[in-house]
Amino acid sequence: MAAPQSKNRLDGQPDPLSEERYDQSTFTGRVRKFSEIMDPRTLLPGLFFSMPIEKATGILSEYKSDPRKAISAYDMETLWTAKKVYQSQIHPDTGKSIPPPFRMAGFAPFGMPIV
């Protein structure tokens, strides 16, 4: 029997804006999510992902306004990368940029000299 489709799914893929990429009901899914949050490459996304925060914000805004058009313009991996870059730099409550030393990905690199 096929799994029921979520109303937030487009193209049979998880919706990058409203769903998690990994299953949060499993330990492995939670570890994978946390490892993405802690990814030090998100400190310099323009260098490592070729996606500065402005580009990620633009892609996600385009996706919010017209998901079908964005899916035809970008592949799902690009949408997930945009969400990863955005979530790593923008505070979810205030919408303001988090300074690099205070981001989850910056904890070890910036905290090491202190110790």
Side-chain angles (χ1 to χ4, degrees):
M1 180 151 80
Q5 290 283 325
S6 167
K7 65 179 177 170
N8 294 326
R9 291 182 184 233
L10 299 169
D11 244 9
Q13 300 288 330
D15 180 355
L17 294 182
S18 63
E19 295 183 17
E20 295 290 342
R21 186 171 192 176
Y22 306 110
D23 182 9
Q24 296 301 291
S25 66
T26 66
F27 176 76
T28 306
R30 291 188 301 270
V31 167
R32 291 179 75 182
K33 178 184 178 182
F34 192 72
S35 69
E36 278 204 355
I37 292 170
M38 293 290 295
D39 185 355
R41 297 176 301 166
T42 60
L43 294 171
L44 299 169
L47 178 65
F48 291 107
F49 300 114
S50 299
M51 188 176 297
I53 187 64
E54 296 82 15
K55 182 176 179 183
T57 303
I59 290 171
L60 294 177
S61 295
E62 185 178 334
Y63 184 86
K64 285 179 186 176
S65 66
D66 189 359
R68 300 251 180 237
K69 182 179 175 186
I71 283 180
S72 65
Y74 307 105
D75 62 354
M76 288 303 287
E77 190 61 35
T78 302
L79 293 171
W80 284 114
T81 302
K83 182 178 179 180
K84 176 180 179 173
V85 168
Y86 184 84
Q87 286 184 332
S88 71
Q89 293 189 25
I90 304 298
H91 192 278
D93 295 331
T94 64
K96 295 182 180 177
S97 180
I98 302 168
F102 303 111
R103 297 179 194 159
M104 289 295 289
F107 181 74
F110 289 104
M112 197 176 302
I114 296 171
V115 177

